[in-house]
Amino acid sequence: MTEQTMTVSLPTRGVGLGILQTYGVYLAIIVLLLYNFFFTPNFFNIGNFRTQFVQVVPALIVALGMALVIGTEGIDLSVGGVMALAAAVMPLYIGYGLIPVVMIAIVVGGLVGVINGSLVAFIGVQPIVATLSLMVTGRGIALLIAHEQLVSITDPTILAIGRGTVVGIPCSMIIAVVAVLLIAVLVNRTTFGKQLIAIGGSRRAAELSGLPVKRILLMVYILCAVLAAIAGIIGTARLGASVPSTLGNLIELSAITAVVVGGTPLTGGQVKVIGTIAGAALLQFISATLNQHNVPDAYSQIAQAIIILFAVYIQRGRLAVR
Amino acid sequence: MTIEPPTTAPLPGSVEAPVLEARGVTKRFAGVTALRSVDFAVRPGESLALMGENGAGKSTLIKVLTGVYQPDEGELLLGGSIAKFARPLDAQRAGISTIYQEVNLIPLMSVAQNIFLGREPRNRFGLIDFTKMVADARGLLDVYGIDVDVRKPLRSLALGVQQMVALARSVSINARIVIMDEPTSSLEAREVETLFSVVSLLREQGIAIVYVSHRMDEIYRVAERIVILRDGAVVRVGQLSDIPRVELVSLMLGRSVEKVRRSGSTAFSATNASTAPPVLVAEDLSRRHQIDGVDMQIRPGEVVGLGGLLGSGRSETLKAIAGVMQLDRGRVTVDGKPVRSGSVPAAIRAGIVMLPEDRKAEGIVPNLSVRDNIVLAALPRLSHAGFSSRRNQDAVVEVFMKRLHIKASSPDQIVSELSGGNQQKVMIARWLAMRPKVLLLDEPTRGIDVGAKAEVQALIDELAREGLAIVLVSSEVEEVVEGSGRVIVLRDGSIETELQGADVDEEHLLAALAGVNE
């Protein structure tokens, strides 16, 4: 009732800001690449790019799910906990082979999504509260399962997910590309995607139009958790060990940053899949650039925080237009 | 803080120097001229009406006067000297207050806190003095005869009362000019009377009133002078007593007086009775504190008005039928088949659709395109195995944009950029795309301009003729009377009476609304 009238008084944005909102992330990537082209030795070679890509895969996959949740005006802080849980259950079923291990990790992750989604959709808990509690308990349970132990994984089929290649292309890269394609189709070409975005735009209008709002919200949180579980599997396979204590630590921050920097507003009603990829890539390039110039890792986290502030600041202008 | 008794009461309509004046104000947005060299002046103690269709520039002018926008050309004069408002706060500090049609306060805060927001009384420790705040708030509201618990959160009050609180707030900030933007659109008749008495109280104190409304009765009651805008320019300034209603309408529309007179003031044709068996049967609809034992039968092809004051349960009745509201008792059938109560999807599947009252909050999805808004409800039907089909969507969108004359640059235009009237048409299109049997309309023409209003009214007529069963809720007596074949009148959640045939006129309806027995 009041929100719409209040935004009117904010100043309208200039043309420059509009370009930044839409293309800012791509501009930033280009600037970074140019910088590295001139100042970082050995940056521009296939091997390095391949390394970068493989490193970004888990964050990218988590960010895709996060983009869906944010599109519904929600947020999922539990993605790191889900990754830890997925990692923790993998050694327990390692004897059954690749497929059962992967399935169980995904189902366990998905269960977290069911809890998140149920709390948000049916009980009406605010997303940040619901997922915050699972962010903590998810990792807690993971540590209980693993007895706070690091378990190394030797099954070659599982390790292949993280380290193997198919005709020269890393398996994790293939999984990421498939995930991107599926999410892009889901968002842009399906009824589900359109409905999800409408819910983010105006939940009340969606309800009054007869949309299955609760079911869609539940599905979105399950999808996000399943994607996080897949990221957990890939991360574990790459490390060659189940490390529930650290795997996916702060990944929610990277994922949210990638989504927001990519142009998906925190207020929902839009999902930018390509933008999310660009956002994840930008974060990866920043940390790689700092890394290759021997800047400590902590600085890249500071850089990340500044970027998310800046991205949200830019988006504020976009909202004020409405 | 209470209102001081007037010391020097200026004569109404005096030729005093204007307290606020705009000279040659021009405002452009990305090449579109919203205001074209507008001159505007309001004097102390005067009540000035500002009228015009949507898009005439009323809102823009108000926003210039209140510092939301800065004029591209021209200047504002406050008490004779040039004033520049860089932001709304500047205008507020200069004594210009605005009452919007939508209450612009903080729902979760108490009434008292809202009234004194930003200027809370302090005790000697510099902390908020709640005792004094509550007492002052009570004193202030007493002046206007508003009896509420000022410690309760604002949102617990009826919308009309919330608005009176907003008014009390702005007046208590020593306003010299109060701009009222459609202040009565959510008020009950009784509250409108209170508002009018407050307006005269304010005028006695020398406060200038700028009154914006679509309702002509009010304009003639409240205002003495009028400024009429059309296409961003002033087309007439004058005493209201010199301008008959028909001329006023024709000035706003830019149409000839004769034409307006011939077509009447609403666009409804003669209403038709239907003899077909009822498509919608609702029995004993009840929900505690809201509606009690409401029955109705609607036949295909008829428009049934649902009359009642605010709080009579008319919107609630529609919500009950549409599955938006859970019921304690009662059942709804469509073509004899029961509809699961309390489920919007079930109601929609049965062919019942509802145009909600609050278009902005409950109707449109503001950031989506016209296309996405139109197909929102029909999406599953326009899809193949869950994949949305652009071709199917375009076919539907094209049909309805053409049929309802939706003015948008393209189906991809963002719906919030459209005028209120066109947004409403998008909403109607969304429901017609579902091929409904029963159309429930809650205030279908509220807050939309005169032209779009006529189009929507004509459309309601046409849809009924095509066999749709329509229930019409409107707070405009004229619209209910001219649009409906019969009128069910609700009072305090129950059916008071039903008007049929020759009894469907303003006189009988007003008597029924007021609960006067004939």
Side-chain angles (χ1 to χ4, degrees):
Chain A
M1 174 169 58
T2 54
E3 291 85 336
Q4 270 124 346
T5 50
M6 291 174 82
T7 49
V8 174
S9 58
L10 290 168
T12 44
R13 67 194 162 130
V15 178
L17 204 55
I19 290 170
L20 264 189
Q21 281 165 17
T22 320
Y23 303 110
V25 63
Y26 305 102
L27 281 175
I29 289 176
I30 290 168
V31 169
L32 259 183
L33 288 179
L34 282 176
Y35 174 87
N36 284 304
F37 182 76
F38 291 112
F39 300 108
T40 312
N42 300 323
F43 193 88
F44 272 77
N45 65 56
I46 300 287
N48 181 43
F49 273 97
R50 189 175 154 141
T51 311
Q52 302 299 332
F53 202 109
V54 170
Q55 277 179 4
V56 80
V57 162
L60 171 61
I61 290 177
V62 171
L64 288 172
M66 189 68 78
L68 299 182
V69 174
I70 289 177
T72 66
E73 209 180 350
I75 197 122
D76 188 349
L77 301 181
S78 69
V79 284
V82 171
M83 284 180 73
L85 262 179
V89 295
M90 283 173 73
L92 305 181
Y93 300 93
I94 205 93
Y96 297 94
L98 174 71
I99 303 291
V101 168
V102 167
M103 292 308 290
I104 284 163
I106 287 176
V107 167
V108 168
L111 276 176
V112 176
V114 171
I115 300 170
N116 279 335
S118 302
L119 286 172
V120 171
F122 298 105
I123 303 178
V125 181
Q126 286 179 13
I128 195 162
V129 178
T131 59
L132 181 66
S133 52
L134 279 143
M135 163 182 171
V136 181
T137 45
R139 193 172 296 276
I141 294 170
L143 289 173
L144 286 178
I145 293 172
H147 304 294
E148 306 200 21
Q149 297 285 309
L150 183 153
V151 184
S152 51
I153 289 172
T154 48
D155 185 320
T157 55
I158 293 175
L159 292 178
I161 298 173
R163 300 168 175 177
T165 58
V166 175
V167 289
I169 305 165
C171 290
S172 61
M173 208 189 248
I174 295 170
I175 296 172
V177 169
V178 170
V180 164
L181 290 177
L182 285 178
I183 297 298
V185 169
L186 186 76
V187 168
N188 298 310
R189 290 275 174 268
T190 67
T191 308
F192 179 83
K194 300 261 177 202
Q195 291 179 331
L196 171 172
I197 289 165
I199 290 170
S202 171
R203 178 164 176 178
R204 184 73 183 145
E207 279 167 351
L208 290 183
S209 297
L211 270 57
V213 172
K214 291 174 179 173
R215 201 174 71 213
I216 290 170
L217 283 176
L218 176 64
M219 289 293 294
V220 164
Y221 281 90
I222 293 176
L223 258 175
C224 182
V226 164
L227 285 165
I230 292 171
I233 296 166
I234 295 173
T236 301
R238 210 173 66 200
L239 290 171
S242 161
V243 199
S245 56
T246 58
L247 185 73
N249 235 342
L250 289 180
I251 190 113
E252 64 283 344
L253 184 64
S254 309
I256 294 167
T257 310
V259 172
V260 174
V261 170
T264 302
L266 280 172
T267 46
Q270 282 183 47
V271 175
K272 303 261 164 112
V273 176
I274 306 294
T276 300
I277 300 169
L282 178 64
L283 293 184
Q284 181 61 33
F285 283 139
I286 287 171
S287 79
T289 306
L290 294 173
N291 205 355
Q292 293 187 7
H293 289 270
N294 295 320
V295 181
D297 215 30
Y299 284 97
S300 97
Q301 284 172 8
I302 294 173
Q304 200 171 316
I306 292 169
I307 290 166
I308 194 167
L309 272 179
F310 186 65
V312 172
Y313 172 76
I314 290 176
Q315 280 193 359
R316 196 190 61 108
R318 161 158 45 205
L319 295 173
V321 178
R322 299 283 132 76
Chain B
M1 199 174 293
T2 52
I3 290 181
E4 302 295 326
T7 44
T8 51
L11 295 170
S14 63
V15 281
E16 267 183 79
V19 55
L20 178 65
E21 199 178 348
R23 280 192 195 153
V25 165
T26 296
K27 181 74 193 169
R28 296 182 200 90
F29 295 104
V32 181
T33 309
L35 290 177
R36 217 180 293 272
S37 187
V38 166
D39 294 321
F40 175 93
V42 56
R43 303 186 187 98
E46 176 185 48
S47 172
L48 176 71
L50 181 61
M51 276 192 100
E53 278 203 283
N54 280 2
K58 279 176 316 196
S59 316
T60 311
L61 179 56
I62 291 172
K63 283 175 182 162
V64 167
L65 295 177
T66 54
V68 177
Y69 298 151
Q70 286 71 47
D72 294 329
E73 286 163 29
E75 57 201 14
L76 297 181
L77 286 87
L78 193 71
S81 47
I82 291 181
K84 280 212 164 70
F85 303 139
R87 55 203 170 123
L89 197 61
D90 294 347
Q92 269 176 37
R93 290 206 174 118
I96 301 174
S97 282
T98 320
I99 308 293
Y100 290 102
Q101 59 195 98
E102 283 132 344
V103 179
N104 214 350
L105 297 175
I106 300 164
L108 283 171
M109 280 196 179
S110 77
V111 173
Q113 276 174 314
N114 268 295
I115 290 177
F116 292 104
L117 194 66
R119 55 197 178 101
E120 294 85 354
R122 307 277 169 169
N123 61 19
R124 59 204 162 93
F125 303 114
L127 302 172
I128 295 176
D129 185 344
F130 282 100
T131 322
K132 181 165 162 41
M133 188 162 82
V134 165
D136 285 354
R138 210 167 266 153
L140 183 66
L141 293 181
D142 276 350
V143 176
Y144 307 118
I146 306 161
D147 183 25
V148 295
D149 184 350
V150 296
R151 290 165 303 189
K152 275 169 93 178
L154 187 76
R155 69 163 182 189
S156 66
L157 307 181
L159 204 58
V161 186
Q162 291 188 24
Q163 199 166 37
M164 297 305 290
V165 170
L167 181 64
R169 169 182 161 80
S170 79
V171 171
S172 70
I173 315 180
N174 294 322
R176 292 156 73 190
I177 300 127
V178 176
I179 299 174
M180 300 187 177
D181 189 359
E182 298 229 30
T184 57
S185 59
S186 45
L187 299 192
E188 293 185 33
R190 184 166 37 83
E191 293 171 325
V192 171
E193 291 307 317
T194 317
L195 179 81
F196 287 173
S197 62
V198 171
V199 166
S200 39
L201 202 70
L202 297 178
R203 292 181 54 194
E204 280 169 24
Q205 297 165 33
I207 294 173
I209 309 286
V210 178
Y211 196 93
V212 182
S213 176
H214 286 126
R215 297 185 183 174
M216 238 167 271
D217 291 337
E218 286 174 12
I219 291 289
Y220 278 92
R221 271 196 62 186
V222 161
E224 48 200 3
R225 273 201 323 134
I226 184 163
V227 171
I228 303 172
L229 289 174
R230 189 173 72 232
D231 298 334
V234 175
V235 291
R236 178 79 186 262
V237 182
Q239 296 290 322
L240 261 171
S241 50
D242 298 340
I243 306 174
R245 285 180 183 224
V246 182
E247 190 186 340
L248 198 157
V249 171
S250 71
L251 280 167
M252 283 197 301
L253 294 177
R255 292 195 208 145
S256 74
V257 172
E258 288 68 30
K259 205 174 159 192
V260 172
R261 188 171 285 147
R262 239 184 296 122
S263 64
S265 47
T266 68
F268 289 114
S269 64
T271 43
N272 40 359
S274 165
T275 51
V279 53
L280 175 81
V281 178
E283 289 167 325
D284 194 26
L285 303 178
S286 304
R287 183 183 161 95
R288 219 166 110 78
H289 296 313
Q290 302 203 350
I291 50 175
D292 185 21
V294 173
D295 300 319
M296 65 173 67
Q297 302 197 346
I298 317 289
R299 298 168 199 284
E302 71 172 347
V303 180
V304 175
L306 201 54
L309 302 171
L310 264 168
S312 61
R314 35 171 220 204
S315 292
E316 289 74 11
T317 301
L318 292 194
K319 285 181 178 163
I321 298 171
V324 178
M325 190 173 83
Q326 292 290 340
L327 284 175
D328 298 335
R329 271 201 328 272
R331 57 191 223 113
V332 174
T333 61
V334 172
D335 288 334
K337 287 189 279 276
V339 182
R340 185 154 65 89
S341 91
S343 160
V344 177
I348 292 173
R349 272 196 302 275
I352 304 173
V353 300
M354 181 183 76
L355 195 74
E357 182 183 7
D358 190 342
R359 183 178 61 239
K360 270 188 193 159
E362 307 196 311
I364 59 163
V365 183
N367 58 323
L368 292 190
S369 65
V370 170
R371 177 208 325 277
D372 287 344
N373 268 283
I374 290 177
V375 301
L376 183 63
L379 257 181
R381 277 229 329 255
L382 302 175
S383 304
H384 301 297
F387 287 89
S388 58
S389 154
R390 184 62 175 262
R391 190 184 301 165
N392 287 356
Q393 290 180 21
D394 280 341
V396 168
V397 169
E398 198 189 316
V399 165
F400 286 109
M401 283 186 72
K402 215 172 266 170
R403 173 161 181 202
L404 306 191
H405 307 290
I406 295 170
K407 287 187 204 88
S409 59
S410 85
D412 295 314
Q413 192 177 5
I414 301 297
V415 79
S416 57
E417 295 172 3
L418 267 51
S419 70
N422 280 304
Q423 289 182 7
Q424 191 68 294
K425 290 187 208 164
V426 167
M427 288 302 303
I428 296 174
R430 180 189 293 170
W431 289 127
L432 293 183
M434 296 301 289
R435 293 191 220 114
K437 293 174 184 159
V438 181
L439 181 59
L440 311 173
L441 301 170
D442 199 350
E443 300 281 4
T445 65
R446 170 182 285 179
I448 68 178
D449 65 79
V450 178
K453 193 167 177 169
E455 283 186 78
V456 169
Q457 288 168 342
L459 180 69
I460 294 172
D461 244 19
E462 192 185 321
L463 293 171
R465 256 181 275 126
E466 289 171 12
L468 207 58
I470 297 174
V471 182
L472 173 66
V473 165
S474 171
S475 49
E476 285 186 42
V477 169
E478 192 183 33
E479 189 166 272
V480 174
V481 166
E482 292 189 20
S484 318
R486 58 193 171 96
V487 180
I488 296 169
V489 182
L490 292 169
R491 219 174 116 71
D492 296 333
S494 303
I495 292 180
E496 165 92 3
T497 181
E498 183 174 326
L499 306 175
Q500 286 180 323
D503 283 353
V504 181
D505 60 25
E506 296 199 18
E507 202 180 328
H508 283 87
L509 180 53
L510 285 172
L513 290 178
V516 181
N517 288 322
E518 292 152 60

